[in-house]
Amino acid sequence: MKRLLAMVLSLTGLALAGCVSLEKPAPDAETQSVEVVAIAPFGKGSFVDGGAERPEPVKDLPEGYGYIGDLGEDEALDSGLAGCRMYADLALEPSECSDVYVCQPVGESGGEWAYVKYVRLLYGGARI
């Protein structure tokens, strides 16, 4: 009986060990940290730029989007984007907007400007 129990426990241990990867990344493997930028363009709620899932900046706005004002110091949330121009769907009220675009510096040197999409962050971290 003890032998049977020991064999069952051994087989269970082997089966479970196969479920876990013990492989560690190489010491010279490059890890990438992606900063998520958040803004609050309407004074409440947060909009984020997507972090690692960030869409590419665009040169042209979607149809129906227009200028809604400059991003204020409080709305910029320490993002460094205060004073940048904001654009949203003009057919919607600010509380209905699921995204805004901010015209901001992009690229390695920051010398190029483009529209960066920010999406509304919902309760619990979900995005729409």
Side-chain angles (χ1 to χ4, degrees):
M1 185 68 171
K2 287 183 182 182
R3 224 181 253 168
L4 179 62
L5 181 62
M7 190 167 77
V8 168
L9 289 175
S10 296
L11 290 174
T12 304
L14 287 173
L16 291 176
C19 295
V20 179
S21 173
L22 299 177
E23 186 176 326
K24 294 182 180 180
D28 59 345
E30 188 175 315
T31 57
Q32 186 175 9
S33 174
V34 177
E35 179 182 338
V36 175
V37 178
I39 59 174
F42 306 113
K44 59 182 181 179
S46 292
F47 286 67
V48 295
D49 69 348
E53 299 169 20
R54 179 177 295 130
E56 288 293 316
V58 296
K59 293 291 184 188
D60 298 309
L61 291 169
E63 191 168 323
Y65 279 67
Y67 175 70
I68 59 169
D70 292 347
L71 195 59
E73 193 69 44
D74 290 338
E75 297 171 320
L77 303 177
D78 297 324
S79 64
L81 298 174
C84 289
R85 297 172 63 96
M86 293 186 300
Y87 301 84
D89 188 337
L90 297 177
L92 300 174
E93 293 294 319
S95 62
E96 299 173 324
C97 289
S98 63
D99 61 18
V100 296
Y101 284 82
V102 175
C103 188
Q104 67 184 68
V106 295
E108 294 291 322
S109 66
E112 188 178 342
W113 287 72
Y115 300 107
V116 176
K117 183 178 184 177
Y118 289 79
V119 294
R120 186 181 297 269
L121 188 64
L122 299 177
Y123 180 78
R127 294 187 320 218
I128 54 174

